[in-house]
């Protein structure tokens, strides 16, 4: 069993930066960040293997978002720079036993989600 808790969300303006945190309890899993905008399906944003090496990203955030992991503290971060209004969504972290996957159906555990509204 893995318990995930996100923090760090809040209203920002376009061009701002924000860092989300996800604290994971239990064994180390591969972790991904996902987001769901109003009236849209949940989509993959960024992923990190259990060791934190070789992160991978959705094309829409590549170059602007950075995922990192503090394995000692079991915390996964999502640094979001140059935010755009289209980044507005509920962001969730999730844990999977499958590495290198952006398929939300392969993630077994989910945090409660946190809102990130980006104003223009």
């Amino acid at each position: 069993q893995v318990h995930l808790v996100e923090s760090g969300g809040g209203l920002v303006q376009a061009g701002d930066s924000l860092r989300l945190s996800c604290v994971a309890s239990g064994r180390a899993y591969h972790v991904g960040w996902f987001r769901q905008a109003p009236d849209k399906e949940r989509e993959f944003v960024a992923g990190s293997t259990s060791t934190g090496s070789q992160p991978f990203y959705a094309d829409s955030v590549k170059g602007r978002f950075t995922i990192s992991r503090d394995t000692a503290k079991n915390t996964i971060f999502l640094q979001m720079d140059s935010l755009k209004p289209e980044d507005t969504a509920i962001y969730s972290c999730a844990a999977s036993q499958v590495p290198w996957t952006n398929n939300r159906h392969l993630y077994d555990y989910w945090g409660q989600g946190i809102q990130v509204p980006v104003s223009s």
Side-chain angles (χ1 to χ4, degrees):
Q1 187 78 13
V2 178
H3 187 56
L4 303 163
V5 179
E6 304 97 336
S7 63
L11 176 63
V12 293
Q13 293 186 330
D16 284 352
S17 297
L18 194 66
R19 189 175 81 159
L20 304 182
S21 300
C22 172
V23 178
S25 65
R27 56 172 285 190
Y29 273 77
H30 312 295
V31 174
W33 281 97
F34 290 78
R35 67 185 182 186
Q36 187 168 19
D39 300 322
K40 291 189 176 180
E41 288 193 354
R42 181 177 283 173
E43 64 175 1
F44 171 80
V45 175
S48 171
T49 60
S50 59
T51 60
S53 62
Q54 296 179 302
F56 52 107
Y57 301 92
D59 288 342
S60 58
V61 305
K62 203 171 292 184
R64 298 189 298 122
F65 290 13
T66 303
I67 188 172
S68 60
R69 189 165 190 159
D70 184 336
T71 54
K73 296 181 179 180
N74 261 356
T75 303
I76 303 89
F77 302 101
L78 184 68
Q79 177 67 39
M80 304 186 291
D81 298 321
S82 303
L83 282 161
K84 305 175 182 180
E86 51 263 45
D87 293 319
T88 294
I90 296 174
Y91 285 72
S92 302
C93 61
S96 174
Q97 298 182 67
V98 179
W100 298 98
T101 181
N102 59 5
N103 184 342
R104 65 183 186 269
H105 300 294
L106 296 181
Y107 284 79
D108 305 303
Y109 303 100
W110 292 82
Q112 81 284 357
I114 191 165
Q115 291 201 355
V116 178
V118 182
S119 64
S120 57

